[in-house]
């Protein structure tokens, strides 16, 4: 979350505004600075590194403070403008004296003016406590390194929070919002599903909501309807067996951020080691991320030597591109049970393994949901038929004895392919996976980069982010089922493949020097290249991007169980 300058305590957020907004669009309502947009704020914090302020703005602050606003910051000393100089500086000192009074930021930290107050030198924690302003958002994650970010807006009578998981890992968190007397709803931006929060409680003027997050997932938490007397679930715990999950061990041996022409470089080994989490590293390569610019106005790249589970690796990433180590990141252990609200408001548990989930309601009633004899996850092994579209350099089809990245294939046409290719395989589904309230899910594991799944000729979902899993229940049948997975990767591999061929145009550095005649004539490349670009992003030695269905592909069963 943003921390601001000076740094805000955890659980608070801010907006930056300019002088024009304060001069023409700010009033005070119930002690809060309120803008014409409806946004309102408990305090106005002045820039700590700027003691200049125009007399007009300082006069406006005086009006706001007298009306009840809280202003935090040092006493202004001068006007930044030469208008009416030097009288303007005298006006600033006079107005500042009225507002700050004896407040000096050291021995006297507060001054009351009208209905409002000026603070200078006091901690924000103490200021917010004096206002009885509790944190707007707090969370306790299931993992020690949980990282969530949020933003809060108000629309009419509704409080709207957007909460996002900052890790590319599954996570669960108890999130506390500074809202009371309203029912929390969950609006899921990726699925368009709106549901009542299945687990929440109210305490001390705030509302605590249990949230499950997919890797880098997010949710809108909306408070708009008054809470009723329904006996909702306030706490939940589960005793369900989980699969053992171990993350990769990533060690950065050496890393440098350097100009490609040798004009300068700096060692960033320690920086990247610090940014690596859970055996993974995902960073945008730029000056802000890495600390400074080692060669101003020169093209730069990040060079990394590392080991992953003891296996050495090397990566080169151009400035403003993203480094991802390992190339196929792991997303951790998905939840083994989930709660939802069924028809009539009764709680429902989806269990992915056998065990018991216990739920406690606001009245103290204890409910249970028991899952028994759920089939274990079944990995789909064996050969796959992989077919490619014509005229893009790949063979019509190949047989894969096991799932691999296209970049690891022996045939260059597969290795350098970019586009959509289709995996086909017959899979066996046992009848017990489709019994009663059970659901059958297909988990594709790692996919680079998008997948479209069909079963027995029925098109299902397009999957564009982890977890790459889809519900097969409506399309599956006991016995043999025909599975088709269409996977689309990114363009760089084909561009890198074309770089293995002779050039078909002239370059001025990385920029196209002139349109080649064959292109103007609408003819194919004379050197056999399949792509054409106006910027030379890649070379024949650029590393290929992992592509295709990498897996492991697994059938998973879940059961919907009413809690009682």
């Amino acid at each position: 979350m943003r921390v601001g300058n000076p740094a805000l305590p955890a659980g608070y957020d801010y907006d930056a505004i300019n002088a024009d907004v304060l001069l023409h669009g700010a009033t005070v309502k119930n002690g809060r600075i309120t803008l014409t947009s409806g946004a309102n704020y408990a305090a106005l914090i002045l820039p700590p590194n700027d003691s200049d302020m125009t007399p007009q703005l300082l006069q406006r602050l005086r009006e706001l403070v007298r009306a009840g606003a809280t202003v935090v910051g040092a006493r202004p000393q001068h006007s930044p403008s030469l208008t009416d100089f030097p009288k303007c500086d005298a006006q600033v000192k006079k107005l500042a004296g009225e507002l700050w009074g004896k407040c000096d930021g050291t021995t006297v930290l507060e001054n009351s003016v009208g209905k409002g107050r000026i603070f200078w030198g006091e901690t924000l924690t103490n200021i917010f406590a004096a206002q009885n302003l509790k944190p707007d958002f707090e969370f306790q994650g299931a993992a020690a390194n949980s990282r969530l970010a949020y933003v809060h807006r108000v629309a009419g009578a509704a409080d709207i929070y957007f909460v996002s998981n900052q890790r590319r890992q599954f996570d669960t968190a108890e999130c506390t919002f500074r809202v009371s007397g309203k029912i929390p709803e969950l609006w899921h931006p990726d699925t368009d599903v709106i549901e009542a929060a299945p687990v929440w409680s109210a305490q001390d003027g705030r509302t605590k909501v249990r949230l499950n997050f997919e890797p880098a997932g997010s949710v809108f938490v909306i408070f708009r309807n008054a809470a009723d007397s329904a006996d909702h679930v306030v706490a939940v715990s589960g005793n369900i067996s989980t699969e053992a999950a171990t993350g990769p061990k990533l060690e950065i041996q050496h890393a440098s951020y350097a100009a490609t022409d040798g004009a300068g470089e700096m060692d960033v080994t320690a920086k990247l080691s610090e940014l690596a989490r859970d055996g993974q590293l995902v960073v945008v390569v730029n000056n802000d991320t890495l600390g400074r610019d080692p060669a101003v106005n020169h093209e730069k790249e990040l060079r990394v030597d590392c080991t992953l589970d003891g296996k050495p690796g090397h990566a080169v990433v151009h400035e403003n591109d993203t480094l991802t180590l390992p190339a196929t990141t792991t997303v951790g252990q998905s939840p083994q049970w989930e709660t939802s609200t069924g028809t009539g408001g009764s709680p429902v548990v989806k269990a992915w393994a056998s065990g018991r989930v216990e739920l406690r309601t606001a009245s103290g009633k204890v409910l249970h949901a028991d899952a028994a004899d759920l089939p274990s996850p079944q990995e789909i092994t064996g050969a796959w038929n992989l077919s490619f579209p014509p005229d893009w350099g790949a063979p019509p089809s190949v047989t894969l004895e096991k799932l691999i990245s296209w970049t690891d294939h022996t045939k260059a046409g597969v290795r350098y392919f970019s586009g959509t290719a289709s995996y086909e395989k017959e899979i066996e589904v046992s009848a017990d996976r489709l019994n009663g309230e059970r659901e059958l899910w297909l988990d594709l594991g790692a996919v680079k980069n998008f997948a479209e799944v069909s079963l027995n000729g029925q098109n299902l979902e397009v999957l564009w982010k982890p977890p790459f899993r889809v519900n097969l229940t409506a399309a599956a049948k006991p016995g043999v089922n025909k599975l088709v997975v269409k996977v689309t990767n990114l363009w760089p591999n084909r561009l890198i493949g074309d770089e293995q061929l002779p050039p078909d145009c002239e370059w001025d550095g990385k920029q196209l020097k002139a349109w080649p005649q064959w292109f103007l004539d609408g003819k194919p490349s004379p050197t056999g290249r399949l792509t054409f670009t106006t910027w030379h992003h890649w070379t024949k030695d650029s590393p290929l991007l992992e592509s295709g269905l990498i897996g492991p592909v697994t059938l998973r069963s879940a059961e919907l169980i009413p809690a009682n």
Side-chain angles (χ1 to χ4, degrees), residues 189-484:
D190 55 340
T191 62
D192 204 29
V193 170
I194 297 176
E195 62 173 335
V199 184
W200 63 277
S201 61
Q203 49 188 293
D204 300 327
R206 296 193 294 172
T207 303
K208 179 182 289 187
V209 184
R210 179 186 175 93
L211 297 177
N212 290 326
F213 292 96
E214 292 183 345
S218 58
V219 65
F220 288 95
V221 184
I222 311 293
F223 297 87
R224 56 176 179 163
N225 298 318
D228 53 28
S229 58
D231 193 21
H232 61 275
V233 175
V234 299
V236 61
S237 61
N239 182 19
I240 289 185
S241 58
T242 59
E243 304 169 45
T246 57
K249 183 179 180 181
L250 173 66
E251 293 185 355
I252 306 299
Q253 304 296 321
H254 179 72
S256 64
Y257 184 40
T260 56
D261 60 3
E265 72 175 278
M266 65 180 186
D267 188 291
V268 292
T269 307
K271 182 66 175 179
L272 293 191
S273 298
E274 175 187 338
L275 293 173
R277 298 173 186 270
D278 306 315
Q280 300 182 74
L281 177 63
V282 181
V283 295
V284 177
V285 178
N286 57 34
N287 302 332
D288 291 338
T289 300
L290 300 175
R292 64 179 178 87
D293 190 340
V296 179
N297 296 327
H298 288 260
E299 182 182 348
K300 291 167 283 293
E301 63 187 14
L302 177 64
R303 305 161 186 164
V304 182
D305 292 306
C306 64
T307 60
L308 184 66
D309 291 332
K311 182 179 179 181
H314 178 73
V316 177
V317 180
H318 295 290
E319 185 178 12
N320 297 320
D321 288 341
T322 299
L323 168 69
T324 302
L325 293 175
T328 304
T329 57
T330 59
V331 296
Q333 176 65 56
S334 61
Q336 292 299 290
W337 50 271
E338 306 164 34
T339 53
S340 61
T341 302
T343 54
S346 57
V348 175
V349 172
K350 177 187 284 189
W352 294 88
S354 299
R356 163 172 283 199
V357 175
E358 183 176 288
L359 306 91
R360 180 169 55 83
T361 70
S363 68
K365 184 178 179 181
V366 176
L367 308 175
H368 297 99
D370 295 300
D373 303 323
L374 265 176
S376 300
Q378 173 190 336
E379 184 177 350
I380 297 176
T381 58
W384 293 74
N385 182 68
L386 176 59
S387 58
F388 297 90
D391 304 324
W392 282 106
S397 65
V398 296
T399 298
L400 300 179
E401 296 304 322
K402 65 176 182 178
L403 293 174
I404 59 171
S405 169
W406 298 342
T407 57
D408 293 331
H409 202 276
T410 56
K411 293 185 177 180
V414 177
R415 195 162 57 249
Y416 296 122
F417 176 77
S418 289
T420 300
S422 296
Y423 294 79
E424 294 186 16
K425 185 177 182 61
E426 290 187 341
I427 61 172
E428 185 82 22
V429 176
S430 58
D432 62 337
R433 291 189 178 274
L434 300 172
N435 286 344
E437 294 299 317
R438 289 180 180 173
E439 295 179 343
L440 178 64
W441 288 74
L442 179 71
D443 187 337
L444 296 180
V447 174
K448 293 294 183 177
N449 294 85
F450 311 96
E452 182 179 0
V453 179
S454 65
L455 188 69
N456 300 323
Q458 182 173 332
N459 292 329
L460 300 172
E461 291 186 47
V462 174
L463 306 174
W464 55 276
K465 63 179 180 61
F468 292 93
R469 61 187 183 190
V470 59
N471 191 339
L472 301 180
T473 310
K477 62 183 181 179
V480 176
N481 293 254
K482 183 178 180 180
L483 175 65
V484 177

